[in-house]
Amino acid sequence: MYRECMNDLAKWMQKKDRKPLVICGAKGVGKTWLVEDFADGFFENKVSIDFKTQEYGRMLFNGEMDKNQIVKMLEVFSGEQINPKSTLLILENIHSISKPGVILSFISRYLTEFYVTATSAKGESVIFRDYDWEEELEILHLYPLSFSEFLIENKEAVLCERIEKYREEPLREELVTHLEEYLEIYYLVGGMPEAVKCWIDTMDFQKVNQVKAKIFQSYSKAIGEIENDSLRNRVLQVWDSIPNQLNKENKKFQYQTVKLTARSREYYEAVDWLVKSGFIYKVNRIKEGEAPLFGQEDIKSFEVFMVDVGMLSYLYEIEYQDLRRGANVFTSHNQSLTEQFVFQELLFNQNVGKVYYWTSDATARIEFIFEDSGVVIPIEVNLYGNNKAQSLKVYKGRYKTPMALRITCGRAASEDGIYDMPLYAIWNL
């Protein structure tokens, strides 16, 4: 399966001052597949230790660590002599041990000749909260397949090439129609690798949904493993409320949607658990559209997004047959699917920094905002050119922003500092 970040892994491998690489990503985004495919393509052999399922791995790095002893035991474990120059050491589920930073720090300092990767379902702020990792590790964030990766998996690399040139060479109408059909499919399949593979192999949406049901079961299992009964119940309540949170016209997270009498002090920890576990993303509101944006952050007002648009469409029980009968996936459920898709594409794009949203005191709302080299760039999702939508006009009038993006279902255009970008081209931002 084609993953763009394989290029990042290849570059990491070639570095002379290489550090252990930790791949962070939510359950189901393909961390294990990625590192194993990397090992198969670039190394003669691999040694994999899963800290979640293999007690041996935890014992190996427990207590006082000795380089020679660890290498010797790894050879016993793998059943062959290890050549550091041609072997990839994979440490799976590094987040499941109590002090992962101690192990990775040791490897970074004393096993410098080895190629070492680790995977984690939690982000670096969680697994390394007591460890200053910046000098000793590299972090790679893995997400579901982007729309461009999905096209390539569907043997449509030529469409990606055309999108890269769409500003200079506008796409023909039949190509736009073709892309919109693929967008509809992507909305339903999503970018989880196992779901994508199922789609490529079977072209059967029912079987794809079975895969997504299994992924949801793994999420529910993880929630069920929370030891604190009260926290577990609150996390489950918040998790069950997410589809309704996203389906509201006012998408600000509301604790009353979780439970009518809920208060933030009761459920903040539950939301935080879901965010830190990679089950949802939290996007904070900014008070003013002025750089630097982090200084304008309103931590009490936020919206949430799921990991994957296909997972969200599964929760909404949207069927492809419904689309063929005239339903419009791009506007259904208060645009929640489209905003989820746009968020994913922005998250995947390495040119886009941290994303926020903005609302006025009245009804104006800018779905996404990010900062690029000190310039604040607002993004309005306005698929069908609704001239009555005044949010971007209000924002530009207040902050005199030199550039704004409007995501549409039309063609690329620009006027008065507003750039219309087709929905299918966000990854090429």
Side-chain angles (χ1 to χ4, degrees):
M1 183 171 291
Y2 173 78
R3 297 308 308 263
E4 200 172 293
C5 61
M6 190 66 75
N7 297 324
D8 297 321
L9 292 174
K11 291 177 182 176
W12 167 80
M13 183 186 73
Q14 295 169 0
K15 290 181 179 179
K16 293 182 179 180
D17 58 345
R18 183 184 61 256
K19 306 170 186 175
L21 177 67
V22 181
I23 301 172
C24 298
K27 283 179 174 292
V29 298
K31 300 181 295 295
T32 297
W33 180 90
L34 179 69
V35 292
E36 291 190 350
D37 190 52
F38 175 56
D40 293 340
F42 291 85
F43 294 88
E44 292 180 8
N45 53 28
K46 62 190 176 189
V47 176
S48 181
I49 298 174
D50 191 332
F51 287 113
K52 188 173 184 179
T53 61
Q54 295 173 314
E55 182 67 26
Y56 170 85
R58 291 191 290 270
M59 292 175 59
L60 180 62
F61 290 96
N62 194 20
E64 187 175 348
M65 288 178 282
D66 175 81
K67 172 183 175 178
N68 294 328
Q69 182 67 16
I70 286 176
V71 173
K72 181 179 178 180
M73 293 306 294
L74 285 173
E75 290 181 336
V76 171
F77 177 74
S78 63
E80 57 185 277
Q81 187 173 359
I82 295 176
N83 181 352
K85 295 182 179 180
S86 59
T87 300
L88 180 65
L89 176 59
I90 304 171
L91 306 178
E92 291 266 35
N93 294 306
I94 194 76
H95 62 277
S96 64
I97 55 179
S98 59
K99 293 184 178 180
V102 174
I103 293 175
L104 292 170
S105 178
F106 176 85
I107 291 172
S108 179
R109 296 175 184 179
Y110 302 109
L111 297 178
T112 54
E113 71 273 30
F114 281 80
Y115 296 88
V116 182
T117 60
T119 68
S120 172
K122 299 182 184 293
E124 64 270 24
S125 63
V126 179
I127 57 177
F128 302 132
R129 58 182 176 272
D130 299 322
Y131 167 52
D132 187 15
W133 58 267
E134 285 87 347
E135 297 297 322
E136 296 185 318
L137 302 175
E138 293 189 41
I139 304 290
L140 187 150
H141 293 278
L142 186 63
Y143 305 107
L145 272 75
S146 68
F147 184 53
S148 63
E149 291 176 323
F150 183 75
L151 287 175
I152 291 172
E153 278 302 298
N154 281 273
K155 302 187 186 308
E156 295 285 5
V158 172
L159 280 178
C160 292
E161 294 173 4
R162 294 301 307 274
I163 292 172
E164 289 175 354
K165 302 175 182 177
Y166 79 95
R167 292 182 181 88
E168 297 80 23
E169 302 175 24
L171 274 63
R172 301 190 307 274
E173 195 62 39
E174 59 267 26
L175 286 182
V176 172
T177 300
H178 198 38
L179 278 167
E180 289 179 348
E181 290 172 351
Y182 267 118
L183 271 173
E184 287 185 343
I185 294 171
Y186 182 78
Y187 272 34
L188 298 183
V189 174
M192 292 304 219
E194 191 176 354
V196 174
K197 184 179 185 305
C198 181
W199 165 252
I200 298 297
D201 291 344
T202 68
M203 301 291 175
D204 187 325
F205 286 105
Q206 274 195 324
K207 291 182 178 178
V208 170
N209 280 341
Q210 291 171 5
V211 170
K212 289 190 280 188
K214 187 174 72 172
I215 296 173
F216 270 115
Q217 287 170 5
S218 73
Y219 281 32
S220 298
K221 181 181 178 182
I223 294 174
E225 291 172 351
I226 299 174
E227 294 182 358
N228 183 297
D229 291 344
S230 176
L231 176 60
R232 182 174 62 251
N233 291 334
R234 282 178 281 132
V235 169
L236 186 59
Q237 286 179 301
V238 173
W239 177 241
D240 289 342
S241 80
I242 298 301
N244 289 332
Q245 298 282 357
L246 295 173
N247 203 29
K248 298 186 282 80
E249 187 172 351
N250 175 9
K251 291 181 170 55
K252 176 185 174 182
F253 185 90
Q254 296 175 337
Y255 290 97
Q256 288 77 13
T257 303
V258 179
K259 183 180 176 182
L260 191 60
T261 59
R263 296 292 182 267
S264 60
R265 64 178 180 273
E266 299 175 87
Y267 286 89
Y268 176 83
E269 186 181 3
V271 173
D272 193 51
W273 188 95
L274 288 167
V275 172
K276 289 180 177 179
S277 298
F279 288 16
I280 61 174
Y281 292 99
K282 187 165 72 170
V283 176
N284 287 335
R285 173 181 173 268
I286 55 166
K287 300 172 184 177
E288 303 290 345
E290 300 171 344
L293 288 179
F294 70 84
Q296 303 293 341
E297 201 167 0
D298 179 2
I299 61 174
K300 293 183 179 180
S301 298
F302 61 91
E303 298 177 351
V304 294
F305 291 90
M306 293 195 69
V307 172
D308 176 60
V309 67
M311 303 288 277
L312 183 58
S313 67
Y314 172 80
L315 289 179
Y316 287 147
E317 299 182 347
I318 298 175
E319 300 288 343
Y320 190 69
Q321 293 85 339
D322 297 333
L323 303 180
R324 297 300 91 202
R325 286 193 291 265
N328 192 328
V329 70
F330 302 130
T331 58
S332 62
H333 294 282
N334 291 324
Q335 283 194 309
S336 57
L337 290 172
T338 292
E339 290 189 22
Q340 172 70 42
F341 169 76
V342 173
F343 173 74
Q344 279 181 237
E345 294 290 283
L346 293 174
L347 196 65
F348 183 88
N349 194 318
Q350 295 183 4
N351 296 321
V352 176
K354 186 175 180 179
V355 174
Y356 305 87
Y357 77 98
W358 174 86
T359 57
S360 69
D361 295 332
T363 59
R365 173 175 178 260
I366 299 297
E367 287 85 353
F368 302 104
I369 293 179
F370 70 98
E371 186 177 345
D372 183 16
S373 301
V375 177
V376 176
I377 301 176
I379 302 176
E380 178 188 67
V381 180
N382 186 0
L383 296 189
Y384 297 104
N386 181 3
N387 292 325
K388 294 181 180 180
Q390 298 294 312
S391 295
L392 196 54
K393 181 179 179 181
V394 170
Y395 183 92
K396 283 180 62 64
R398 182 174 300 184
Y399 299 112
K400 312 302 180 186
T401 181
M403 184 178 77
L405 298 176
R406 182 163 51 205
I407 307 301
T408 78
C409 274
R411 294 190 176 276
S414 63
E415 184 179 0
D416 297 329
I418 299 176
Y419 294 83
D420 287 350
M421 171 173 283
L423 185 63
Y424 54 76
I426 301 172
W427 62 269
N428 194 43
L429 181 64

